[in-house]
Amino acid sequence: MASRVCLVHYHEIGLKGKNRAHFERILMDNLKAALAAFSVATCTRISGHILVTFSKKGEAEAAYDTIRRVPGVARVSLALHCNRDPEEYCAAAVQTLHEFGPFETFKVEARRSNTDYELHTMDLNRQVGEVLCHAFPEKKVKMKDPDARVHVLVVQGSVYVYAKSDRGVGGLPQGSAGKVVTLLSSGIDSPVATWMIARRGAVPVPVHFSGRPQTADTSEYLVQDIIRALAPAVQVGRLYVVPFGDCQREISMACPNDLRVIMYRRVMYAVSERIAQLEGARAIVTGESLGQVASQTLENIAAVNEVVDTPVLRPLIGSDKQEIIERAESIGTYDISCETAPDCCTLFMPRRPETHAKMDEVHAAWEMFDHEAMIEHLVRNVEWIDFGGPTYHRPRPLHDRHDRLEAKYRPAHAE
Ligand code: ATP
Ligand code: MG
Protein backbone atom coordinates (compact mmCIF):
# COMPACT_ATOMS: atom_id res chain seq x y z
CA MET A 1 0.00 0.00 0.00
CA ALA A 2 1.49 3.35 -1.08
CA SER A 3 2.22 5.84 1.71
CA ARG A 4 1.97 9.62 1.59
CA VAL A 5 5.08 11.75 1.64
CA CYS A 6 6.01 15.34 0.90
CA LEU A 7 8.56 16.00 -1.82
CA VAL A 8 10.29 19.33 -1.39
CA HIS A 9 11.76 21.04 -4.44
CA TYR A 10 14.33 23.82 -4.25
CA HIS A 11 15.87 26.00 -6.93
CA GLU A 12 18.37 28.49 -5.83
CA ILE A 13 20.30 26.30 -3.47
CA GLY A 14 20.81 23.97 -6.38
CA LEU A 15 22.75 26.76 -8.06
CA LYS A 16 25.29 27.25 -5.34
CA GLY A 17 27.90 24.83 -6.64
CA LYS A 18 30.04 23.29 -3.95
CA ASN A 19 27.99 24.95 -1.22
CA ARG A 20 25.07 22.85 -2.24
CA ALA A 21 25.42 20.10 0.36
CA HIS A 22 25.77 22.69 3.11
CA PHE A 23 22.66 24.54 1.96
CA GLU A 24 20.68 21.33 1.71
CA ARG A 25 21.71 20.41 5.24
CA ILE A 26 20.45 23.78 6.53
CA LEU A 27 17.18 23.41 4.66
CA MET A 28 16.65 19.91 6.09
CA ASP A 29 17.36 21.15 9.64
CA ASN A 30 14.95 24.04 9.16
CA LEU A 31 12.27 21.74 7.79
CA LYS A 32 12.62 19.44 10.77
CA ALA A 33 12.36 22.41 13.15
CA ALA A 34 9.37 23.86 11.31
CA LEU A 35 7.65 20.46 11.46
CA ALA A 36 8.36 19.83 15.14
CA ALA A 37 4.63 19.54 15.82
CA PHE A 38 4.31 16.70 13.29
CA SER A 39 5.43 13.09 13.42
CA VAL A 40 8.30 13.42 10.92
CA ALA A 41 9.87 9.99 10.46
CA THR A 42 12.64 10.91 7.99
CA CYS A 43 13.85 14.01 6.20
CA THR A 44 16.39 13.02 3.58
CA ARG A 45 17.81 14.09 0.26
CA ILE A 46 16.85 12.13 -2.82
CA SER A 47 17.88 13.08 -6.31
CA GLY A 48 17.57 16.86 -6.13
CA HIS A 49 14.60 16.81 -3.76
CA ILE A 50 14.11 16.52 -0.04
CA LEU A 51 11.81 13.73 0.97
CA VAL A 52 9.82 14.10 4.18
CA THR A 53 8.04 11.04 5.52
CA PHE A 54 5.70 10.84 8.50
CA SER A 55 4.88 8.09 10.94
CA LYS A 56 1.23 9.04 11.42
CA LYS A 57 -1.47 8.88 8.79
CA GLY A 58 -2.79 12.20 7.52
CA GLU A 59 0.29 14.16 8.60
CA ALA A 60 1.79 14.65 5.13
CA GLU A 61 -1.42 16.41 4.09
CA ALA A 62 -1.45 18.46 7.31
CA ALA A 63 2.22 19.48 7.09
CA TYR A 64 2.02 20.46 3.41
CA ASP A 65 1.15 24.14 4.00
CA THR A 66 3.77 24.58 6.71
CA ILE A 67 6.43 23.25 4.35
CA ARG A 68 5.38 25.74 1.67
CA ARG A 69 6.16 28.60 4.05
CA VAL A 70 9.73 27.57 4.83
CA PRO A 71 12.37 29.79 3.13
CA GLY A 72 14.27 27.86 0.48
CA VAL A 73 11.26 25.76 -0.53
CA ALA A 74 10.47 26.50 -4.18
CA ARG A 75 7.71 23.89 -4.45
CA VAL A 76 6.18 21.06 -2.49
CA SER A 77 4.32 18.04 -3.83
CA LEU A 78 2.10 15.60 -2.00
CA ALA A 79 3.21 12.25 -3.34
CA LEU A 80 2.35 8.58 -2.98
CA HIS A 81 5.45 6.52 -2.29
CA CYS A 82 5.28 3.21 -4.21
CA ASN A 83 7.52 0.27 -4.97
CA ARG A 84 8.78 -0.30 -8.49
CA ASP A 85 5.65 -2.24 -9.17
CA PRO A 86 3.65 -1.07 -12.22
CA GLU A 87 0.36 -2.16 -10.71
CA GLU A 88 1.06 -0.19 -7.56
CA TYR A 89 2.26 3.03 -9.17
CA CYS A 90 -0.45 2.98 -11.85
CA ALA A 91 -3.08 2.61 -9.11
CA ALA A 92 -1.41 5.51 -7.28
CA ALA A 93 -1.62 7.62 -10.46
CA VAL A 94 -5.37 6.95 -10.67
CA GLN A 95 -5.75 7.85 -6.99
CA THR A 96 -3.81 11.14 -7.24
CA LEU A 97 -5.83 12.21 -10.26
CA HIS A 98 -9.08 11.39 -8.45
CA GLU A 99 -7.95 13.55 -5.57
CA PHE A 100 -6.69 16.38 -7.75
CA GLY A 101 -9.99 18.24 -7.99
CA PRO A 102 -11.83 19.34 -11.12
CA PHE A 103 -9.93 18.94 -14.40
CA GLU A 104 -10.68 18.28 -18.06
CA THR A 105 -7.23 17.61 -19.49
CA PHE A 106 -4.15 15.89 -18.13
CA LYS A 107 -0.75 14.52 -19.03
CA VAL A 108 1.78 12.16 -17.47
CA GLU A 109 5.30 13.42 -16.79
CA ALA A 110 7.63 10.58 -15.92
CA ARG A 111 11.25 11.00 -14.86
CA ARG A 112 13.92 8.45 -13.93
CA SER A 113 16.87 9.34 -11.82
CA ASN A 114 18.30 5.82 -12.21
CA THR A 115 18.79 4.35 -15.61
CA ASP A 116 18.72 0.84 -14.19
CA TYR A 117 14.94 0.77 -14.43
CA GLU A 118 14.00 -1.14 -17.54
CA LEU A 119 11.31 1.28 -18.66
CA HIS A 120 12.38 4.49 -20.32
CA THR A 121 10.60 7.76 -19.61
CA MET A 122 8.52 7.51 -22.78
CA ASP A 123 7.48 3.95 -21.93
CA LEU A 124 6.52 5.02 -18.43
CA ASN A 125 4.44 7.91 -19.79
CA ARG A 126 2.66 5.52 -22.10
CA GLN A 127 2.16 2.82 -19.48
CA VAL A 128 0.67 5.16 -16.86
CA GLY A 129 -1.17 7.21 -19.51
CA GLU A 130 -3.03 4.17 -20.79
CA VAL A 131 -4.22 3.26 -17.32
CA LEU A 132 -5.38 6.82 -16.70
CA CYS A 133 -7.21 7.03 -20.05
CA HIS A 134 -9.01 3.87 -19.09
CA ALA A 135 -9.87 5.15 -15.60
CA PHE A 136 -10.98 8.61 -16.84
CA PRO A 137 -12.54 7.92 -20.27
CA GLU A 138 -14.28 11.30 -20.41
CA LYS A 139 -11.03 13.28 -19.85
CA LYS A 140 -8.54 14.24 -22.55
CA VAL A 141 -4.79 13.99 -22.76
CA LYS A 142 -3.24 17.34 -23.59
CA MET A 143 0.49 17.87 -23.97
CA LYS A 144 0.55 21.68 -23.73
CA ASP A 145 -0.93 23.38 -20.64
CA PRO A 146 -2.99 20.49 -19.28
CA ASP A 147 -5.17 21.12 -16.21
CA ALA A 148 -3.47 18.30 -14.30
CA ARG A 149 0.02 16.81 -14.52
CA VAL A 150 0.61 13.39 -13.05
CA HIS A 151 4.28 13.11 -12.17
CA VAL A 152 5.91 9.71 -11.92
CA LEU A 153 9.39 9.93 -10.45
CA VAL A 154 11.56 6.84 -10.32
CA VAL A 155 14.29 7.19 -7.69
CA GLN A 156 16.39 4.27 -6.52
CA GLY A 157 14.03 1.44 -5.58
CA SER A 158 10.98 3.68 -5.30
CA VAL A 159 8.44 5.46 -7.45
CA TYR A 160 6.85 8.72 -6.30
CA VAL A 161 3.56 9.69 -7.91
CA TYR A 162 1.93 13.08 -7.47
CA ALA A 163 -0.46 15.55 -9.05
CA LYS A 164 -0.93 17.97 -6.15
CA SER A 165 1.99 20.39 -6.19
CA ASP A 166 2.20 24.05 -5.14
CA ARG A 167 4.78 26.79 -5.08
CA GLY A 168 6.56 27.54 -1.84
CA VAL A 169 7.85 30.91 -0.69
CA GLY A 170 11.15 30.37 -2.48
CA GLY A 171 14.29 32.18 -1.38
CA LEU A 172 17.15 30.58 0.52
CA PRO A 173 17.20 28.54 3.72
CA GLN A 174 17.34 30.66 6.83
CA GLY A 175 20.85 30.55 8.23
CA SER A 176 22.64 30.41 4.88
CA ALA A 177 23.37 34.14 4.80
CA GLY A 178 24.49 35.10 8.33
CA LYS A 179 22.93 37.30 10.98
CA VAL A 180 21.23 40.68 10.69
CA VAL A 181 19.76 42.91 13.35
CA THR A 182 16.25 44.00 12.40
CA LEU A 183 14.52 47.01 13.89
CA LEU A 184 11.15 45.53 14.73
CA SER A 185 8.20 47.65 15.80
CA SER A 186 4.71 46.26 16.18
CA GLY A 187 3.72 48.15 13.00
CA ILE A 188 2.89 46.62 9.63
CA ASP A 189 6.15 47.18 7.79
CA SER A 190 9.02 45.93 9.90
CA PRO A 191 7.58 42.40 10.41
CA VAL A 192 7.39 42.14 6.61
CA ALA A 193 10.97 43.44 6.25
CA THR A 194 12.09 40.88 8.85
CA TRP A 195 10.34 38.09 6.97
CA MET A 196 11.82 39.19 3.64
CA ILE A 197 15.38 39.21 4.90
CA ALA A 198 14.85 35.80 6.52
CA ARG A 199 13.56 34.52 3.19
CA ARG A 200 16.89 35.49 1.66
CA GLY A 201 18.66 33.24 4.12
CA ALA A 202 19.51 35.70 6.92
CA VAL A 203 19.00 35.01 10.61
CA PRO A 204 17.05 37.99 11.91
CA VAL A 205 17.82 39.19 15.42
CA PRO A 206 15.08 41.74 16.18
CA VAL A 207 15.53 44.78 18.40
CA HIS A 208 12.40 46.48 19.70
CA PHE A 209 12.40 49.94 21.24
CA SER A 210 9.67 50.21 23.83
CA GLY A 211 8.28 53.41 25.30
CA ARG A 212 8.60 51.88 28.76
CA PRO A 213 8.57 53.26 31.45
CA GLN A 214 6.78 56.24 29.90
CA THR A 215 4.25 53.93 28.24
CA ALA A 216 2.89 50.47 29.02
CA ASP A 217 4.73 47.43 27.71
CA THR A 218 1.92 46.35 25.34
CA SER A 219 4.04 46.80 22.20
CA GLU A 220 6.60 44.35 23.62
CA TYR A 221 3.92 41.66 23.80
CA LEU A 222 2.68 42.46 20.29
CA VAL A 223 6.21 42.06 18.96
CA GLN A 224 6.44 38.67 20.65
CA ASP A 225 3.13 37.72 19.03
CA ILE A 226 4.58 38.78 15.67
CA ILE A 227 7.60 36.56 16.23
CA ARG A 228 5.30 33.65 17.06
CA ALA A 229 3.22 34.34 13.95
CA LEU A 230 6.33 34.13 11.75
CA ALA A 231 7.11 30.72 13.24
CA PRO A 232 7.44 27.89 12.60
CA ALA A 233 8.52 28.64 9.04
CA VAL A 234 10.69 31.62 10.01
CA GLN A 235 12.30 31.25 13.39
CA VAL A 236 13.58 34.08 15.54
CA GLY A 237 15.87 32.92 18.31
CA ARG A 238 16.18 36.04 20.41
CA LEU A 239 14.36 39.37 20.73
CA TYR A 240 16.15 42.36 22.24
CA VAL A 241 14.00 44.95 23.99
CA VAL A 242 15.28 48.44 24.70
CA PRO A 243 13.22 50.49 27.19
CA PHE A 244 13.56 53.86 25.51
CA GLY A 245 10.86 56.04 27.10
CA ASP A 246 13.01 58.00 29.56
CA CYS A 247 15.66 58.75 26.96
CA GLN A 248 13.01 59.99 24.56
CA ARG A 249 11.76 62.28 27.27
CA GLU A 250 15.28 63.62 27.73
CA ILE A 251 15.66 64.20 23.98
CA SER A 252 12.26 65.86 23.74
CA MET A 253 13.26 68.33 26.42
CA ALA A 254 16.69 69.05 25.02
CA CYS A 255 16.17 69.28 21.25
CA PRO A 256 14.05 71.37 18.88
CA ASN A 257 10.59 69.86 18.44
CA ASP A 258 10.79 69.20 14.74
CA LEU A 259 14.08 67.32 15.02
CA ARG A 260 13.07 64.98 17.84
CA VAL A 261 12.13 62.08 15.59
CA ILE A 262 15.47 62.21 13.80
CA MET A 263 17.26 62.24 17.17
CA TYR A 264 15.24 59.25 18.41
CA ARG A 265 16.13 57.36 15.27
CA ARG A 266 19.80 58.21 15.40
CA VAL A 267 19.92 56.81 18.91
CA MET A 268 17.95 53.71 17.81
CA TYR A 269 20.33 53.07 14.94
CA ALA A 270 23.41 53.57 17.12
CA VAL A 271 22.12 51.17 19.80
CA SER A 272 21.18 48.62 17.13
CA GLU A 273 24.65 48.82 15.66
CA ARG A 274 26.14 48.05 19.07
CA ILE A 275 23.86 45.05 19.42
CA ALA A 276 24.82 43.98 15.88
CA GLN A 277 28.50 44.08 16.87
CA LEU A 278 27.83 41.98 19.93
CA GLU A 279 25.82 39.47 17.91
CA GLY A 280 28.24 39.34 14.99
CA ALA A 281 25.45 40.60 12.72
CA ARG A 282 26.59 42.16 9.47
CA ALA A 283 23.70 44.51 8.68
CA ILE A 284 20.82 46.45 10.18
CA VAL A 285 17.40 45.99 8.58
CA THR A 286 14.47 48.40 8.77
CA GLY A 287 10.94 48.47 7.36
CA GLU A 288 11.36 51.92 5.84
CA SER A 289 9.64 52.66 2.55
CA LEU A 290 10.59 55.80 0.67
CA GLY A 291 8.31 58.74 1.37
CA GLN A 292 5.79 56.68 3.33
CA VAL A 293 5.93 58.88 6.41
CA ALA A 294 7.71 62.08 7.38
CA SER A 295 10.82 60.36 8.66
CA GLN A 296 11.30 58.41 5.45
CA THR A 297 12.28 61.14 3.02
CA LEU A 298 15.70 60.85 1.41
CA GLU A 299 17.02 63.75 3.53
CA ASN A 300 15.85 62.19 6.76
CA ILE A 301 17.11 58.73 5.88
CA ALA A 302 20.53 60.27 5.24
CA ALA A 303 20.37 62.27 8.49
CA VAL A 304 19.78 59.07 10.47
CA ASN A 305 21.95 56.70 8.49
CA GLU A 306 25.14 58.67 9.04
CA VAL A 307 25.46 57.60 12.69
CA VAL A 308 26.28 54.00 11.73
CA ASP A 309 29.00 52.31 9.66
CA THR A 310 27.12 49.01 9.42
CA PRO A 311 25.18 48.59 6.16
CA VAL A 312 21.47 49.39 6.59
CA LEU A 313 19.20 47.24 4.43
CA ARG A 314 15.66 48.38 3.63
CA PRO A 315 13.89 45.54 1.82
CA LEU A 316 10.67 47.58 1.48
CA ILE A 317 12.15 50.82 0.23
CA GLY A 318 10.39 50.57 -3.14
CA SER A 319 7.18 48.89 -2.00
CA ASP A 320 3.75 50.50 -1.85
CA LYS A 321 1.74 50.21 1.34
CA GLN A 322 -0.85 47.97 -0.32
CA GLU A 323 1.81 45.47 -1.38
CA ILE A 324 3.25 45.47 2.13
CA ILE A 325 -0.22 44.90 3.61
CA GLU A 326 -0.83 41.95 1.29
CA ARG A 327 2.45 40.38 2.31
CA ALA A 328 1.71 41.03 6.00
CA GLU A 329 -1.60 39.21 5.55
CA SER A 330 0.01 36.27 3.83
CA ILE A 331 2.67 35.83 6.52
CA GLY A 332 0.13 36.18 9.32
CA THR A 333 1.36 39.38 11.00
CA TYR A 334 -1.19 41.90 9.70
CA ASP A 335 -3.91 41.44 12.32
CA ILE A 336 -1.40 41.70 15.15
CA SER A 337 0.09 44.85 13.65
CA CYS A 338 -3.37 46.43 13.45
CA GLU A 339 -3.70 46.30 17.23
CA THR A 340 -2.59 49.65 18.49
CA ALA A 341 -0.09 49.95 21.24
CA PRO A 342 1.96 52.93 22.23
CA ASP A 343 5.64 52.39 21.57
CA CYS A 344 8.48 54.80 21.24
CA CYS A 345 7.04 56.00 17.90
CA THR A 346 3.95 57.43 19.49
CA LEU A 347 5.74 58.91 22.45
CA PHE A 348 6.69 62.60 22.57
CA MET A 349 5.92 63.06 18.90
CA PRO A 350 6.12 66.62 17.62
CA ARG A 351 3.08 68.06 15.86
CA ARG A 352 5.10 68.93 12.78
CA PRO A 353 8.18 66.75 12.37
CA GLU A 354 10.91 67.91 10.02
CA THR A 355 10.59 66.23 6.66
CA HIS A 356 13.69 67.63 4.96
CA ALA A 357 16.31 67.80 7.67
CA LYS A 358 19.30 70.06 7.16
CA MET A 359 22.51 68.42 8.24
CA ASP A 360 23.94 71.37 10.17
CA GLU A 361 20.74 71.64 12.23
CA VAL A 362 20.76 67.89 12.81
CA HIS A 363 24.36 68.03 14.00
CA ALA A 364 23.61 70.95 16.30
CA ALA A 365 20.64 69.11 17.83
CA TRP A 366 22.75 65.96 18.26
CA GLU A 367 25.11 67.93 20.50
CA MET A 368 22.28 69.22 22.70
CA PHE A 369 22.22 66.03 24.77
CA ASP A 370 24.90 63.57 25.83
CA HIS A 371 24.20 61.06 23.09
CA GLU A 372 27.27 58.94 23.85
CA ALA A 373 26.23 58.42 27.45
CA MET A 374 22.64 57.75 26.39
CA ILE A 375 23.66 55.08 23.87
CA GLU A 376 25.94 53.47 26.42
CA HIS A 377 23.18 53.48 29.02
CA LEU A 378 20.64 51.93 26.62
CA VAL A 379 23.05 49.22 25.50
CA ARG A 380 23.84 48.32 29.09
CA ASN A 381 20.21 48.08 30.02
CA VAL A 382 19.03 46.11 27.03
CA GLU A 383 16.81 43.13 27.85
CA TRP A 384 16.18 40.00 25.84
CA ILE A 385 13.78 37.13 25.42
CA ASP A 386 14.91 33.79 23.99
CA PHE A 387 12.68 31.76 21.70
CA GLY A 388 15.02 28.93 20.68
CA GLY A 389 15.20 27.52 17.16
CA PRO A 390 17.98 25.95 15.11
CA THR A 391 19.30 28.91 13.13
CA TYR A 392 20.11 31.36 15.91
CA HIS A 393 23.36 30.99 17.82
CA ARG A 394 23.90 33.12 20.88
CA PRO A 395 26.91 35.42 20.86
CA ARG A 396 30.13 33.68 21.78
CA PRO A 397 31.24 33.76 25.40
CA LEU A 398 32.47 37.11 26.36
CA HIS A 399 35.74 38.40 25.28
CA ASP A 400 37.54 41.72 24.91
CA ARG A 401 35.35 44.73 24.39
CA HIS A 402 32.05 42.95 24.90
CA ASP A 403 33.00 41.73 28.33
CA ARG A 404 31.71 44.66 30.23
CA LEU A 405 28.72 44.98 28.04
CA GLU A 406 27.45 41.47 28.35
CA ALA A 407 28.11 41.32 32.07
CA LYS A 408 25.48 43.98 32.46
CA TYR A 409 22.91 42.22 30.29
CA ARG A 410 19.96 40.80 32.06
CA PRO A 411 17.15 38.67 30.74
CA ALA A 412 13.77 40.30 30.21
CA HIS A 413 10.72 39.19 32.16
CA ALA A 414 10.80 35.46 31.67
CA GLU A 415 7.79 34.04 29.89
P1 ATP B 1 6.54 49.99 10.88
O1 ATP B 1 5.20 49.65 10.31
O2 ATP B 1 7.57 48.96 10.63
O3 ATP B 1 6.47 50.46 12.30
P2 ATP B 1 6.32 52.66 9.94
O4 ATP B 1 5.76 52.84 8.60
O5 ATP B 1 5.42 52.85 11.13
O6 ATP B 1 7.04 51.24 10.03
P3 ATP B 1 8.24 54.29 11.22
O7 ATP B 1 7.46 54.23 12.45
O8 ATP B 1 8.75 55.58 10.73
O9 ATP B 1 7.51 53.68 9.99
O10 ATP B 1 9.48 53.30 11.39
C1 ATP B 1 10.40 53.07 10.36
C2 ATP B 1 11.22 51.85 10.73
O11 ATP B 1 11.95 52.10 11.93
C3 ATP B 1 10.36 50.65 11.04
O12 ATP B 1 10.00 49.94 9.88
C4 ATP B 1 11.27 49.86 11.94
O13 ATP B 1 12.21 49.14 11.19
C5 ATP B 1 11.96 50.95 12.73
N1 ATP B 1 11.20 51.18 13.97
C6 ATP B 1 10.21 52.07 14.19
N2 ATP B 1 9.76 51.98 15.44
C7 ATP B 1 10.47 51.02 16.05
C8 ATP B 1 10.46 50.44 17.36
N3 ATP B 1 9.63 50.86 18.30
N4 ATP B 1 11.35 49.47 17.63
C9 ATP B 1 12.21 49.03 16.68
N5 ATP B 1 12.25 49.52 15.44
C10 ATP B 1 11.39 50.50 15.12
MG1 MG C 1 5.94 52.38 13.14
Side-chain angles (χ1 to χ4, degrees):
M1 177 58 195
S3 62
R4 291 236 190 239
V5 298
C6 289
L7 269 184
V8 179
H9 314 240
Y10 44 87
H11 285 319
E12 295 189 61
I13 59 174
L15 301 175
K16 299 273 174 175
K18 58 182 192 290
N19 279 339
R20 183 178 169 144
H22 172 63
F23 280 57
E24 286 167 337
R25 165 73 37 215
I26 299 176
L27 180 54
M28 284 193 283
D29 287 347
N30 292 354
L31 282 168
K32 282 185 234 165
L35 298 175
F38 298 92
S39 64
V40 173
T42 62
C43 181
T44 45
R45 205 174 66 79
I46 55 153
S47 171
H49 300 82
I50 289 169
L51 171 70
V52 189
T53 66
F54 299 84
S55 50
K56 284 198 201 133
K57 212 165 173 262
E59 295 246 301
E61 294 88 328
Y64 187 83
D65 281 326
T66 301
I67 294 175
R68 287 181 68 190
R69 296 176 59 203
V70 175
V73 173
R75 177 166 283 280
V76 57
S77 306
L78 187 63
L80 283 164
H81 176 195
C82 311
N83 297 309
R84 276 194 193 178
D85 168 3
E87 214 171 293
E88 189 180 335
Y89 62 73
C90 286
V94 173
Q95 186 183 341
T96 50
L97 206 44
H98 265 302
E99 291 167 352
F100 181 76
F103 73 97
E104 287 308 318
T105 57
F106 71 95
K107 81 184 272 198
V108 179
E109 287 190 2
R111 219 151 53 77
R112 293 183 311 169
S113 71
N114 309 62
T115 44
D116 65 339
Y117 191 48
E118 65 272 17
L119 288 185
H120 284 254
T121 309
M122 293 303 283
D123 305 325
L124 269 166
N125 282 339
R126 206 170 306 122
Q127 182 189 51
V128 178
E130 272 170 20
V131 173
L132 290 177
C133 286
H134 188 72
F136 299 88
E138 70 290 4
K139 308 294 183 189
K140 292 207 164 41
V141 173
K142 191 175 171 213
M143 286 301 139
K144 199 162 178 277
D145 290 331
D147 299 333
R149 290 166 198 268
V150 178
H151 296 260
V152 179
L153 180 65
V154 182
V155 183
Q156 290 149 13
S158 304
V159 181
Y160 300 92
V161 181
Y162 61 91
K164 182 175 169 59
S165 182
D166 288 282
R167 283 174 67 172
V169 292
L172 296 163
Q174 202 190 337
S176 58
K179 267 186 197 173
V180 295
V181 156
T182 80
L183 272 84
L184 185 62
S185 74
S186 60
I188 295 168
D189 305 329
S190 45
V192 174
T194 299
W195 179 87
M196 287 181 81
I197 206 77
R199 188 179 60 161
R200 294 307 305 167
V203 176
V205 182
V207 179
H208 175 66
F209 289 82
S210 153
R212 187 158 50 91
Q214 301 284 336
T215 66
D217 55 5
T218 325
S219 71
E220 298 168 33
Y221 287 96
L222 289 182
V223 168
Q224 292 177 54
D225 287 347
I226 284 166
I227 288 171
R228 288 193 198 96
L230 293 174
V234 165
Q235 304 212 354
V236 165
R238 174 176 284 188
L239 163 69
Y240 286 96
V241 176
V242 184
F244 192 31
D246 286 344
C247 294
Q248 281 183 277
R249 185 160 183 274
E250 192 183 327
I251 293 171
S252 73
M253 291 191 304
C255 300
N257 268 355
D258 53 348
L259 291 175
R260 272 183 204 170
V261 179
I262 291 172
M263 296 304 120
Y264 300 157
R265 292 201 179 273
R266 284 169 71 103
V267 173
M268 287 161 70
Y269 269 47
V271 170
S272 301
E273 181 172 62
R274 293 281 296 275
I275 295 174
Q277 286 162 354
L278 173 75
E279 281 281 348
R282 294 208 171 86
I284 295 169
V285 177
T286 78
E288 286 158 315
S289 160
L290 188 61
Q292 194 191 81
V293 291
S295 60
Q296 296 173 21
T297 60
L298 284 178
E299 289 90 337
N300 287 13
I301 288 175
V304 174
N305 207 132
E306 68 161 7
V307 295
V308 292
D309 295 324
T310 308
V312 179
L313 308 179
R314 300 177 176 86
L316 304 179
I317 198 71
S319 300
D320 280 345
K321 194 76 190 185
Q322 195 51 40
E323 292 163 1
I324 301 172
I325 288 174
E326 281 163 23
R327 178 63 79 184
E329 285 170 337
S330 77
I331 62 175
T333 56
Y334 182 72
D335 290 343
I336 305 166
S337 296
C338 287
E339 288 180 42
T340 47
D343 68 0
C344 67
C345 292
T346 48
L347 190 61
F348 304 118
M349 286 301 276
R351 226 173 289 144
R352 249 182 259 114
E354 178 59 70
T355 50
H356 301 285
K358 290 179 195 61
M359 277 305 185
D360 49 352
E361 290 172 10
V362 169
H363 293 157
W366 190 234
E367 298 309 325
M368 289 175 187
F369 62 104
D370 190 346
H371 56 260
E372 296 280 346
M374 183 181 285
I375 293 161
E376 188 63 32
H377 166 81
L378 288 169
V379 171
R380 283 182 180 207
N381 287 287
V382 75
E383 303 172 4
W384 70 77
I385 298 160
D386 281 330
F387 292 84
T391 57
Y392 173 76
H393 303 289
R394 299 171 49 192
R396 272 167 202 276
L398 327 179
H399 51 88
D400 52 74
R401 66 202 162 110
H402 297 314
D403 265 17
R404 201 167 41 89
L405 212 153
E406 176 124 352
K408 297 278 181 188
Y409 275 28
R410 59 196 163 86
H413 22 266
E415 282 197 51

